[in-house]
Amino acid sequence: MESTLSIIKPDGVKKNIIGNILKKFEDSGLKITHIKLIQLTEKEASEFYEMHDGKPFFKDLVAFMSSGPCIPFVLMGENAILRVREIMGATDPQEAKEGTIRAQYADSIDSNIIHGSDSQDSATREISFFFG
């Protein structure tokens, strides 16, 4: 069993599609083990995305992630990291496969509804960031 972190970003919360997104993961057999609604400060968003500091999109990403409430949650299951990334779809919703969260709900590469850990190291760091 593997655990990974996902976040329904502020645009997903604002669109009121929280239940739809969580249902996709649960319907795939993944189990939600931790979940909360929070509002990230700019400082917290900067810390969470520190690996992107210095990249052209960093400031916009921090501003976006601190613009409204978001929902971090932990999913557990066999090959959870890979499965979550498949269910989310490509970062650019124009490239995301039909039926994925981003293909169905995202507006753009910048407003793409959801985050998911990309490796076991990231998952460990990200779960600890939100859930200690």
Side-chain angles (χ1 to χ4, degrees):
M1 289 300 214
E2 186 174 68
S3 291
T4 190
L5 184 101
S6 191
I7 304 170
I8 300 174
K9 295 179 179 181
D11 54 336
V13 174
K14 187 176 181 178
K15 286 183 175 187
N16 200 30
I17 55 173
I18 298 161
N20 297 347
I21 291 171
L22 296 176
K23 185 169 177 14
K24 280 191 176 279
F25 291 118
E26 289 182 317
D27 286 350
S28 78
L30 293 164
K31 181 179 178 179
I32 298 168
T33 62
H34 299 77
I35 187 168
K36 61 184 170 181
L37 174 70
I38 64 167
Q39 170 87 39
L40 289 172
T41 64
E42 284 189 13
K43 182 177 187 269
E44 290 168 330
S46 293
E47 289 172 10
F48 184 75
Y49 287 107
E50 69 185 355
M51 74 288 299
H52 298 303
D53 195 2
K55 295 179 182 172
F57 60 86
F58 179 72
K59 286 183 181 180
D60 288 341
L61 176 61
V62 168
F64 170 64
M65 288 302 293
S66 59
S67 69
C70 65
I71 300 178
F73 56 104
V74 178
L75 293 156
M76 187 173 73
E78 202 168 312
N79 298 313
I81 295 168
L82 178 61
R83 289 173 59 203
V84 166
R85 295 190 67 75
E86 288 173 349
I87 293 165
M88 290 187 328
T91 304
D92 183 345
Q94 300 297 319
E95 297 174 8
K97 290 182 183 176
E98 188 175 331
T100 63
I101 291 168
R102 289 177 173 149
Q104 191 169 358
Y105 299 114
D107 294 326
S108 69
I109 195 167
D110 297 318
S111 296
N112 61 20
I113 302 290
I114 195 156
H115 165 89
S117 302
D118 63 2
S119 68
Q120 186 60 63
D121 287 343
S122 292
T124 300
R125 182 186 73 79
E126 293 174 0
I127 290 168
S128 177
F129 184 89
F130 288 106
F131 296 101

